[in-house]
Amino acid sequence: MSEDDQVGVPEPGASHSAEAPSLAHLKSATIREPGLDDRGSVFFAAIEMTRMPMILTDPRQPDNPIVFANRAFQDLTGYTQAELVGRNCRFLQGPETNRETVRELREAVEARRSVATEILNYKRDGSPFWNGIFIGPVFDEAGEIVYFFASQLDVTRRRVSEQAFRQAQKMEAIGQLTAGLAHDFNNLLQVVSGNLELARGSVAGERAQRQLANAAGAAERGAKLTKQLLSFARKARLEPRSLNLNALVLAFAEVAESTLGSTVSVRLDLTPRLPAVTLDRTNLEMALLNVLINARDAMPAGGTVTISTGTVLLNGDARARGLPPGDYVALRVRDEGEGMAPHVAERATEPFFSTKGPGKGTGLGLAMAHGFVQQSRGRLEIESRPKNGTTITMLFPAGPGAVAEEEPTERRPALRRGDETVLVVEDSDDVRALAREYLESLGYQVLTARDGGEALEILKREERIDLLFSDIVMPGSVNGLILADRAQTMRPDLPVLLTTGYNEDLVAEGPATPTMDVLGKPYRKAELADRVRAALDRGARKMPAPGEPHHG
């Protein structure tokens, strides 16, 4: 009901003749026979048959009790007529009922005017529901109030949908903000960590080395923080491959036990012959570790954490869970801890939301896990009750069949070097200077450009350029992706290595050309050496052999 409908309510007994009849009934009603004894009329039959819950209260009696409730109201609340009659409607309220809404209803009743609002009520079994309620006064012909009429409507589904939509909008806005901050922060970390790495190789003295190591450790923690932010924002670059979830959990169990400590025991409950899942192993392990750390912190006196796997078929309830129908693999972590109240569980995946107290967590663990699971086309679910533990479930789309998990290969200890010419394109002077120093120390010839336009000019005039190494996010109309596309139009066999501290959605899916790759910031010298050498070798394989025609 609009505000216009609520103003100008006639005084009790006033005539409605000056007002349109279609609006008058929204505010009050006048009756000739106020009694409820004769219930055999067609009007009572209609009220009993309607699906809209309705009640009458009697303000002439102490505390304005219910004197009539139709069958639809009894079905809505779970109470019988005998349990309803004689009680004030406030008994339907509960701990989460908004006090301001209660005050609004009370003031409308005291002023004998109509009101329309929505209130959280509770059924007989204790379950909450959102009640869209309209209350209007009923007068006799002498202008004395005899009843309040109230119609109800269960609007829970709409309220839940609206709340979910608002939450999704809020999380998306926070994600955009955190991803943008992570981009700038990664550029700063690249300069800090890179120069610390160079300094550690040129500074003597145990004390100086210890101080540099402490600073490098802080930079590493900063880099981990930005990775968590990007994972929450679903902007992290993933490298998914087919995994056997059981094998991964078994391999990770030793790490989990050492992380959780001696007071927490880890129990595995793994379903055999699981379908494969296509996931980024590193991010999955980080998500699982964050969930396990939360489980440990929820059990300060110790307890058991159960890691289980299983299969889930989503059919009729798939849409309600925001997933397409089909087969899913579930990874669950169950603790015996303190549990969470509903309002805490609702915010548990928000970044920087934490109940652990100062200095005991960043509030990014579940946010990172939630973002990674969503980016992997899955869903993270939380089941928790105070004093009854918490279960975190990560659902992932199932693949076509089981796979054997391969152990990751060891990285080469020696830095991979070369003597080719690399064009470095980076708008940050400090990052560009660091990349140049890294590459020249590895034996490469280096050309530099501040932006995409300058890089294209260099590509036009310089005959020998063996690799384009470019930042993605740059000012101007030519960002790294556009530059890479134009560069490979000019030189079809030119390999490209891109770098970024912020992965746009199109980047997260991977470059379209097999001669492109992406290196995340901040990167170490060894990582840059490996990726540059791999990109050059990949490009060399695509070049025509001597004497063969070039079809580029």
Side-chain angles (χ1 to χ4, degrees):
M1 184 171 65
S2 68
E3 292 183 1
D4 292 340
D5 293 332
Q6 297 186 38
V7 298
V9 179
E11 293 297 323
S15 171
H16 301 307
S17 60
E19 187 170 9
S22 61
L23 297 179
H25 79 281
L26 295 176
K27 300 170 183 177
S28 64
T30 301
I31 59 174
R32 296 178 181 176
E33 298 179 6
L36 296 174
D37 296 331
D38 183 13
R39 301 194 182 185
S41 69
V42 66
F43 299 104
F44 260 106
I47 287 174
E48 287 286 24
M49 291 292 292
T50 183
R51 294 184 179 181
M52 175 170 284
M54 298 178 184
I55 62 171
L56 284 175
T57 66
D58 188 349
R60 298 168 298 178
Q61 297 185 39
D63 206 24
N64 190 26
I66 298 171
V67 291
F68 170 76
N70 72 349
R71 293 172 187 170
F73 188 85
Q74 297 171 48
D75 292 339
L76 172 66
T77 62
Y79 290 97
T80 65
Q81 179 92 234
E83 292 171 319
L84 291 166
V85 171
R87 305 175 72 179
N88 185 281
C89 295
R90 76 171 69 90
F91 84 95
L92 296 172
Q93 299 164 16
E96 298 296 323
T97 303
N98 186 286
R99 296 297 104 187
E100 286 298 311
T101 306
V102 174
R103 182 183 58 80
E104 179 186 8
L105 291 171
R106 183 177 64 250
E107 290 178 352
V109 170
E110 290 172 354
R112 298 184 177 183
R113 59 178 172 83
S114 61
V115 63
T117 189
E118 293 180 0
I119 188 170
L120 185 68
N121 281 342
Y122 290 79
K123 300 182 181 183
R124 193 178 192 278
D125 62 5
S127 59
F129 70 100
W130 279 100
N131 193 1
I133 184 171
F134 166 75
I135 298 176
V138 180
F139 301 99
D140 63 15
E141 290 184 305
E144 296 295 325
I145 190 165
V146 288
Y147 300 114
F148 272 102
F149 168 81
S151 63
Q152 333 274 326
L153 186 64
D154 188 344
V155 295
T156 305
R157 183 176 298 180
R158 175 178 61 76
R159 291 286 298 223
V160 169
S161 297
E162 289 175 352
Q163 184 180 16
F165 179 69
R166 287 194 297 269
Q167 180 73 1
Q169 283 187 314
K170 180 174 71 172
M171 298 296 272
E172 182 65 25
I174 295 173
Q176 293 290 345
L177 174 63
T178 54
L181 289 172
H183 166 246
D184 292 338
F185 196 41
N186 274 332
N187 271 340
L188 297 174
L189 281 173
Q190 181 64 66
V191 177
V192 172
S193 59
N195 282 284
L196 285 172
E197 185 178 14
L198 294 174
R200 292 179 72 182
S202 58
V203 173
E206 182 179 343
R207 182 181 180 186
Q209 283 289 333
R210 185 172 63 253
Q211 291 170 339
L212 289 172
N214 290 338
E220 285 283 339
R221 290 192 292 275
K224 181 181 178 182
L225 180 67
T226 58
K227 284 181 180 178
Q228 290 178 319
L229 287 170
L230 288 170
S231 291
F232 159 73
R234 305 188 302 280
K235 303 293 185 183
R237 175 168 168 77
L238 303 181
E239 297 180 359
R241 59 192 180 98
S242 190
L243 298 175
N244 182 301
L245 207 53
N246 284 344
L248 184 142
V249 171
L250 286 169
F252 194 71
E254 185 176 346
V255 175
E257 289 176 349
S258 62
T259 300
L260 299 181
S262 58
T263 62
V264 177
S265 60
V266 178
R267 177 176 174 268
L268 302 183
D269 182 11
L270 307 180
T271 301
R273 295 183 295 278
L274 280 181
V277 288
T278 302
L279 299 171
D280 181 297
R281 176 179 179 134
T282 301
N283 279 275
L284 176 60
E285 289 178 344
M286 187 184 298
L288 178 57
L289 182 62
N290 281 324
V291 173
L292 288 170
I293 290 173
N294 276 2
R296 178 201 64 191
D297 294 343
M299 301 186 298
T304 300
V305 172
T306 302
I307 306 174
S308 62
T309 60
T311 56
V312 177
L313 173 62
L314 294 186
N315 194 0
D317 60 342
R319 180 176 296 179
R321 299 168 88 166
L323 293 172
D327 293 319
Y328 290 81
V329 177
L331 175 61
R332 296 185 179 91
V333 176
R334 163 77 182 170
D335 66 58
E336 301 173 335
E338 301 167 348
M340 293 181 279
H343 69 279
V344 175
E346 185 179 310
R347 299 188 59 196
T349 57
E350 292 183 15
F352 305 114
F353 177 78
S354 177
T355 58
K356 297 179 183 179
K360 296 185 179 180
T362 62
L364 279 173
L366 276 181
M368 173 266 160
H370 176 262
F372 162 69
V373 173
Q374 279 200 323
Q375 193 175 355
S376 301
R377 298 179 294 115
R379 175 181 172 86
L380 185 141
E381 299 179 339
I382 301 175
E383 298 175 42
S384 186
R385 286 189 176 182
K387 309 301 181 184
N388 199 31
T390 299
T391 300
I392 304 293
T393 301
M394 291 178 274
L395 293 173
F396 301 105
V403 294
E405 175 64 14
E406 298 179 1
E407 291 298 320
T409 56
E410 294 292 329
R411 288 188 173 272
R412 298 185 184 183
L415 293 179
R416 304 176 67 186
R417 308 173 67 86
D419 59 1
E420 292 92 341
T421 300
V422 180
L423 173 57
V424 176
V425 189
E426 170 65 61
D427 61 295
S428 169
D429 294 339
D430 293 332
V431 177
R432 186 172 63 254
L434 177 66
R436 178 170 196 152
E437 188 166 354
Y438 271 165
L439 291 169
E440 287 181 342
S441 69
L442 294 168
Y444 295 102
Q445 305 297 312
V446 180
L447 302 172
T448 61
R450 291 180 176 84
D451 55 43
E454 187 178 343
L456 289 173
E457 292 299 320
I458 294 174
L459 284 165
K460 289 177 184 177
R461 70 171 184 262
E462 293 291 337
E463 183 174 343
R464 184 183 176 187
I465 295 178
D466 302 296
L467 174 68
L468 173 63
F469 177 45
S470 174
D471 190 15
I472 291 178
V473 181
M474 293 187 295
S477 59
V478 181
N479 63 22
L481 291 171
I482 295 173
L483 172 62
D485 184 63
R486 293 184 183 178
Q488 292 193 320
T489 300
M490 298 165 62
R491 304 187 185 197
D493 297 310
L494 178 68
V496 176
L497 176 61
L498 300 172
T499 182
T500 184
Y502 171 54
N503 294 294
E504 302 277 4
D505 288 339
L506 63 144
V507 179
E509 295 175 2
T513 309
T515 53
M516 290 190 199
D517 196 5
V518 179
L519 173 63
K521 294 177 183 175
Y523 51 80
R524 294 182 177 181
K525 183 177 179 180
E527 292 175 300
L528 180 62
D530 279 347
R531 301 292 279 274
V532 166
R533 189 67 261 162
L536 286 165
D537 292 346
R538 187 169 57 248
R541 288 195 298 270
K542 286 189 164 292
M543 293 292 288
E548 290 184 0
H550 192 292
H551 299 291

